[in-house]
């Protein structure tokens, strides 16, 4: 019996006290010193630059590359780690895609020292004669190990009685990291591993003695990772961490043992997989190539049945939160939704690095994919605490500066950038060919669609395309020549509008230009999310608009026209309740009849240098000038417009009889040309009003136009300047005090708001089906003036009509609900409740490709929610876990919720997977 075996026998009789002081390996010390040096350098640079240490500029691009912190997420995940597992467990755990050719080693312990374990790993050539025993272990890449745990966990969560299991507090496993030195012995063509008591905690060293003791049964290790074969390469070979692997030179590895029982002595069998009625504590094991063991938390393992045998499932696998770095909830929710996309997780838990495209000029040199893959693996490490995604955010900000800093952003915008960035980093196409787009020319849609899709895959081929991209059929029709153009375009997600079912009451003042009708206040009912076309249609019906008339809707602010609504597609949500709108009934557009705007002014007492000053009042009046040449034409049209506001004729005559100075005033105005020809004036006035009163009334209005910020008076008997004959001239009309008394200006000043809410009015909750949103998205509509289509037949841009149809549906369907609307003046958020199916979203009736053999049904598995208003608010995520469990991911907090709680008006982005 060797001294090592005797030591094991004596230790079983006389246990040693526990020692809790662990020594750092050279590799760990190197990484610690390197990170500390970077941290000190990042803290020194701001002082050298004389910048404020606490300012936002400290996070600028110039300082960011040197800014590293000793945080949990700074562990080195740059190289694939390898895990040590019980071989019997791995035989049942491995999936179809995880199976690979392994190398078998027989481990013998030949150590005569009480302070060092010396292991010899000899390669076995005749592996078929060796069965499966309890003394066999497997070296498995980290991603494949996590993927196996996730697969078992998903199956275990589907068991209905899983939630009834209890977990005693004293059933937590411990961890025992070991420092291992490995070198190649060329004399025996074997690997030699040394575990020193000086470099390890006493308890952990003793457990290593139990594990690798070969006095009773031989220990064997299957290497499915391919890592050990690198030790047998020539002198130029390198380890996975790029450190030189010279023959005979020791390489320091850090071994963390998980998933192994406390005692492995003797011939007791030590069953690693127990019956489903039992529950046990376990340790798990991993080999980390010069990595770190920080922040690995013990976890509880439960047993259950799978494929005819019992197995272990990690209860909290994947239920890991993300720390909020400061308004980064928008990023956390997008990451959590993608981190629970099953096939995407399986991809990044596998050997995804081999698909990184470092040559793609549209990509990010693989850095975004590496950062996302590392973060995703941290989220799926069993029992992990909330992760601080600082490294991922820094990588993201380097390539997308719009997401730098700590301001709130749109989660859907980040999601779109992230999916596109991951696609370019993982694009399997190294050199993108050029394909000329061909017209259909009467070919079947199936043939054309397949051609478009082949051309798309020839340039874009990645896991993102495989999972998230579908295909539209886009049909454009020219309104002039009826030319039809059909294309098939890829899409990554659906951005669905929210059609409003709520009716909005809008009040406007309708002003006629016929010289007879007084302004009228009209209230109409329109859809809350309707357009200007809906508003004009409702007003036209209410005021009995003639065929030769049209309505010009304008917003009045401070007695001037502030904005004119011209486009039928203008959204009514851009009109606030407190705005004041006027609808002018004018003749339809005619190039020979320009539009003129009359703005009212009056003299008011001023306390400045001038005793009196002009001040605007009333509602501007608008009309079309049928014939305009001189100032009399302007005067005639204005008198026609204000005639309905004239007080009774008897009252006017009485007022003039009381004024003895009227005739004198008329004679004094000869030099201005206002009274040069009373007969001419009278003829014009008679033609419009039929009375002689306008002869006198017209002389108390003065007309001006604006030229270079100065008012220029319009002389009635002189031609108008050329600048007033084009465009939309604006004429300022100065009212005298006498005219203010002769006209009812109260009607001109009465302008109600669009909507005056009543006190204690309770707003009803608006609800719409997701199918209605999809129908609104797919409906035919004209293109906007800024999106004109160049018609190849007409040879010029045309405002064509566009119709979208779903042609090819993706594996993962991302649905973006367009709750935010942006205009030139303000932003708005719709709090509409969208009713969406959870377990059966059927899109069969919306797919134009009738011969498609794939399924068109989906189940919901994640929701990104936004609470609050624009420019702030908060993002959270609901995620389906297992078969029917839902969890609320609120940054670092993760809580279980019932299914009836996930449907809220805050739902913003929906994630569906095909069934």
């Amino acid at each position: 019996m060797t001294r090592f075996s005797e030591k094991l026998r004596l230790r079983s009789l006389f246990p040693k006290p526990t020692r809790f002081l662990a020594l750092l390996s050279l590799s760990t010390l190197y990484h610690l010193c390197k990170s500390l040096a970077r941290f000190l350098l990042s803290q020194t640079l701001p002082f050298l630059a004389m910048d404020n240490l606490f300012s936002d500029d400290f996070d600028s691009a110039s300082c960011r590359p040197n800014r590293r912190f000793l945080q949990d997420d700074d562990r080195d995940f740059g190289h694939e780690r390898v895990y040590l597992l019980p071989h019997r467990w791995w035989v049942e755990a491995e999936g179809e895609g995880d199976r690979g050719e392994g190398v078998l080693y027989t481990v013998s312990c030949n150590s005569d020292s009480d302070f060092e374990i010396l292991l010899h790993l000899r390669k076995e050539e005749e592996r078929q004669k060796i069965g499966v025993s309890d003394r066999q272990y497997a070296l498995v890449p980290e991603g494949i190990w996590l993927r196996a745990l996730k697969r078992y966990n998903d199956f275990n969560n589907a068991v209905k009685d899983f939630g009834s299991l209890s977990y005693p507090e004293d059933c937590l496993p411990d961890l025992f990291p070991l420092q291992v030195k490995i070198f190649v012995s060329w004399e025996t063509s074997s690997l030699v591993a040394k575990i020193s008591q000086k470099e390890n905690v006493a308890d952990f060293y003793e457990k290593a003695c139990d594990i690798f003791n070969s006095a009773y049964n031989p220990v064997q290790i299957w290497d499915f990772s391919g890592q050990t074969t690198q030790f047998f390469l020539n002198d130029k070979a390198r380890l996975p961490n790029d450190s030189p692997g010279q023959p005979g030179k020791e390489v320091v590895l850090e071994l963390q043992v998980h998933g192994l029982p406390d005692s492995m002595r003797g011939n007791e069998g030590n069953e690693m997989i127990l019956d489903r009625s039992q529950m046990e504590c376990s340790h798990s094991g991993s080999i980390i190539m010069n990595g770190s063991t920080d922040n690995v938390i013990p976890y509880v393992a439960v047993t259950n049945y799978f494929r005819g045998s019992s197995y272990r499932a990690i209860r909290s696998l994947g239920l890991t939160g993300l720390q909020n770095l400061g308004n980064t909830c928008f990023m956390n929710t997008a990451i959590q939704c993608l981190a629970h996309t099953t096939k995407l997780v399986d991809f990044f838990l596998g050997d995804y690095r081999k698909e990184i495209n470092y040559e793609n000029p549209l990509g990010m040199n693989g850095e975004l994919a590496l950062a996302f893959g590392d973060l995703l693996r941290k989220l799926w490490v069993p029992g992990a605490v909330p992760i601080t995604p600082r490294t991922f955010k820094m990588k993201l900000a380097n390539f997308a500066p719009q997401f730098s800093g700590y301001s709130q952003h749109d989660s859907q915008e980040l999601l779109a950038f992230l999916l596109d960035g991951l696609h370019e980093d993982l694009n399997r196409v190294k050199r993108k060919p050029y394909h000329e787009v061909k017209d259909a020319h009467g070919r079947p849609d199936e043939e054309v669609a397949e051609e478009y899709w082949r051309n798309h895959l020839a340039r874009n081929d990645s896991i993102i395309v495989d999972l998230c991209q579908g295909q539209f059929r886009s049909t454009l029709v020219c309104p002039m020549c009826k030319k039809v153009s059909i294309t098939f375009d890829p899409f990554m997600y659906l951005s669905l509008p929210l059609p409003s079912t709520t009716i909005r009451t809008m009040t406007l003042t309708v002003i006629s230009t016929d010289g007879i009708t007084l302004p009228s206040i009209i209230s109409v009912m329109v859809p809350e999310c309707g357009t200007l076309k809906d508003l004009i249609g409702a007003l036209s019906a209410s005021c009995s608009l003639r065929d030769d008339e049209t309505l010009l809707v304008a917003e009045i602010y401070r007695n001037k026209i502030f904005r004119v609504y011209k486009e039928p597609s203008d959204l009514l949500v851009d009109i606030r309740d407190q705005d004041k709108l006027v609808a002018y009934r004018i003749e339809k557009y005619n190039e020979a009849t320009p539009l003129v705007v009359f703005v009212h002014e009056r003299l008011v007492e001023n306390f400045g240098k001038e005793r009196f000053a002009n001040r605007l009042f009333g509602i501007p009046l608008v009309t079309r000038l049928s014939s305009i040449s001189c100032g009399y034409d302007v005067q005639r049209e204005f008198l026609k417009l204000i005639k309905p506001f004239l007080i009774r004729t008897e009252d006017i005559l009485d007022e003039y009889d009381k004024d003895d100075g009227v005739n004198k005033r008329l004679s004094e105005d000869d030099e201005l040309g206002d009274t040069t020809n009373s007969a001419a004036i009278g003829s014009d006035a008679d033609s419009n009003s039929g009375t002689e009163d306008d002869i006198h009334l017209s002389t108390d209005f003065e007309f001006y136009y604006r030229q270079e910020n100065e008012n220029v008076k319009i002389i009635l008997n002189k031609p108008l300047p050329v600048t007033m004959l084009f465009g939309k001239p604006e004429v300022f009309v100065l009212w005298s005090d006498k005219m203010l008394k002769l006209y009812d200006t109260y009607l001109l000043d009465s302008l109600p708001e669009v909507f005056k809410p009543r006190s204690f009015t309770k707003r009803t909750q608006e609800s719409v089906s997701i199918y209605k949103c999809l129908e609104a998205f797919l409906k035919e509509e004209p293109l906007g003036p800024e999106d004109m289509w160049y018609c190849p037949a007409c040879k010029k841009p045309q405002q064509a009509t566009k119709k979208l149809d779903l042609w090819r549906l993706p594996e993962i369907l991302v649905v973006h609900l367009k709750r935010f609307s942006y205009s030139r003046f303000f932003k708005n958020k719709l709090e509409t409740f969208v009713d969406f199916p959870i377990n059966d979203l059927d899109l069969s009736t919306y797919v134009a490709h009738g011969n498609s053999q794939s399924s068109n049904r989906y189940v919901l598995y994640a929701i990104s929610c936004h609470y609050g208003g624009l420019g702030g608010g908060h993002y959270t995520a609901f995620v389906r876990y297992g078969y029917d469990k839902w969890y609320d991911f609120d940054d670092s907090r993760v809580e279980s919720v019932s299914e009836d709680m996930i449907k809220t008006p805050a739902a913003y982005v929906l994630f569906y997977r095909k069934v």
Side-chain angles (χ1 to χ4, degrees), residues 694-897:
D694 292 329
I695 300 175
H696 307 286
L697 300 181
S698 63
T699 58
D700 273 8
F701 291 106
E702 297 180 359
F703 302 91
Y704 299 86
Y705 67 92
R706 188 67 55 89
Q707 183 177 355
E708 296 181 356
N709 296 327
E710 291 185 359
N711 289 338
V712 179
K713 188 173 182 179
I714 297 176
I715 308 301
L716 298 181
N717 62 347
K718 291 186 178 181
L720 294 175
V722 178
T723 56
M724 289 192 60
L725 301 179
F726 301 96
K728 186 179 63 177
E730 191 174 44
V731 177
F732 293 85
V733 182
L734 180 61
W735 291 56
S736 66
D737 292 339
K738 189 176 298 294
M739 294 299 100
L740 292 174
K741 296 178 181 179
L742 298 180
Y743 286 87
D744 188 359
T745 57
Y746 175 78
L747 295 175
L748 283 174
D749 284 324
S750 299
L751 191 59
E753 296 179 352
V754 170
F755 180 73
K756 193 74 172 179
R758 298 179 181 179
S759 301
F760 309 106
T761 301
K762 184 177 180 180
R763 189 171 184 177
T764 58
Q765 176 66 57
E766 183 180 4
S767 177
V768 64
S769 170
I770 192 173
Y771 295 109
K772 293 294 184 182
C773 299
L774 184 59
E775 291 169 4
F777 174 72
L778 298 176
K779 73 177 181 180
E780 185 180 38
E781 59 183 1
L783 297 176
E786 66 280 358
D787 297 324
M788 303 282 277
W789 172 61
Y790 183 83
C791 178
C794 299
K795 304 297 182 181
K796 65 178 181 178
Q798 297 286 3
Q799 194 170 359
T801 59
K802 183 177 182 179
K803 175 71 170 67
L804 287 177
D805 293 294
L806 298 177
W807 186 265
R808 186 190 306 266
L809 294 178
E811 185 76 16
I812 302 299
L813 181 64
V814 181
V815 180
H816 167 223
L817 303 178
K818 298 174 68 174
R819 294 194 176 276
F820 304 121
S821 61
Y822 304 91
S823 66
R824 294 162 48 192
F825 304 100
F826 59 91
K827 305 175 183 179
N828 183 48
K829 180 188 176 184
L830 300 177
E831 298 289 349
T832 306
F833 176 82
V834 178
D835 186 13
F836 48 86
I838 297 177
N839 297 313
D840 188 16
L841 175 66
D842 188 2
L843 301 180
S844 301
T845 58
Y846 301 97
V847 177
H849 189 192
N851 297 329
S852 176
Q853 301 298 324
S854 61
S855 172
N856 298 321
R857 309 176 82 92
Y858 290 85
V859 295
L860 183 72
Y861 71 91
I863 309 173
S864 175
C865 302
H866 179 269
Y867 301 90
L870 293 170
H874 183 60
Y875 285 94
T876 65
F878 291 116
V879 172
R880 184 194 291 264
Y881 190 75
Y883 179 71
D884 58 353
K885 299 180 180 66
W886 287 87
Y887 281 84
D888 180 17
F889 286 77
D890 187 356
D891 290 330
S892 59
R893 181 181 61 85
V894 180
E895 293 183 353
S896 176
V897 295

Side-chain angles (χ1 to χ4, degrees), residues 91-352:
V91 170
E92 297 188 0
E94 64 179 346
E96 294 293 336
D98 301 336
R99 296 175 183 173
E101 189 70 19
V103 179
L104 178 63
Y105 295 94
T106 298
V107 182
S108 60
C109 182
N110 300 317
S111 179
D112 294 332
S113 173
D114 295 336
F115 306 102
E116 185 179 67
I117 304 175
L118 189 63
L119 305 176
H120 292 269
L121 283 71
R122 180 174 51 86
K123 186 176 180 180
E124 293 289 346
E125 299 296 339
E126 298 181 359
R127 296 174 296 174
Q128 64 274 10
K129 298 181 180 180
I130 301 175
V132 178
S133 69
D134 298 325
R135 302 283 288 174
Q136 289 184 352
Y137 307 101
L139 289 176
V140 181
E142 177 197 42
I144 297 179
W145 175 65
L146 290 176
R147 192 159 56 188
L149 288 181
K150 179 180 178 297
R151 183 168 54 251
Y152 274 4
N153 183 73
D154 292 342
F155 179 83
N156 188 74
N157 288 332
V159 180
K160 295 182 178 180
D161 60 351
F162 176 72
S164 62
L165 295 175
S166 60
Y167 300 89
E169 295 180 358
D170 59 350
C171 193
L172 293 177
D174 62 0
L175 308 171
F176 42 103
L178 296 173
Q179 298 294 330
V180 182
K181 294 181 179 179
I182 299 180
F183 62 92
V184 178
S185 174
W186 291 109
E187 296 179 358
T188 60
S189 297
S190 63
L191 288 175
V192 180
K194 294 193 300 184
I195 304 175
S196 175
Q197 187 182 32
K198 295 181 180 180
E199 297 180 354
N200 293 279
V201 178
D203 286 351
F204 302 160
Y205 179 79
E206 292 173 3
K207 292 180 180 181
C209 295
D210 293 337
I211 294 172
F212 297 109
N213 175 27
S214 58
Y216 306 103
N217 292 326
V219 177
Q220 294 177 328
I221 296 180
W222 285 87
D223 179 22
F224 297 101
S225 66
Q227 299 292 338
T228 58
T229 58
Q230 298 190 38
F231 291 101
F232 291 99
L233 299 179
N234 55 29
D235 295 344
K236 296 182 180 180
R238 292 181 177 273
L239 294 175
N241 57 0
D242 296 333
S243 60
Q246 300 292 338
K249 183 178 180 181
E250 292 183 348
V251 178
V252 179
L253 303 178
E254 191 172 80
L255 176 69
Q256 278 192 340
V257 183
H258 292 254
L260 304 179
D262 291 330
S263 177
M264 303 193 67
R265 305 194 194 103
N267 298 310
E268 301 173 358
N270 292 321
E271 289 292 334
M272 294 304 302
I273 305 176
L274 306 182
D275 184 73
R276 69 171 297 181
S277 61
Q278 299 175 341
M279 183 177 68
E280 67 173 13
C281 300
S282 68
H283 316 292
S284 78
S286 65
I287 291 180
I288 302 180
M289 297 295 184
N290 291 345
S292 171
T293 62
D294 297 340
N295 209 27
V296 181
I297 304 301
Y299 60 88
V300 176
V302 297
T303 61
N304 212 318
Y305 191 75
F306 184 74
R307 293 182 183 175
S309 64
S310 299
Y311 77 98
R312 299 180 185 183
I314 310 306
R315 184 177 186 180
S316 61
L317 195 66
L319 298 180
T320 305
L322 290 167
Q323 296 286 358
N324 193 321
L325 304 177
N327 287 327
T328 56
C329 56
F330 73 96
M331 179 183 72
N332 293 347
T333 56
I335 293 174
Q336 291 290 6
C337 292
L338 292 180
H340 289 83
T341 302
T342 303
K343 292 190 177 181
L344 190 65
V345 173
D346 291 342
F347 173 81
F348 278 100
L349 291 183
D351 190 12
Y352 71 94

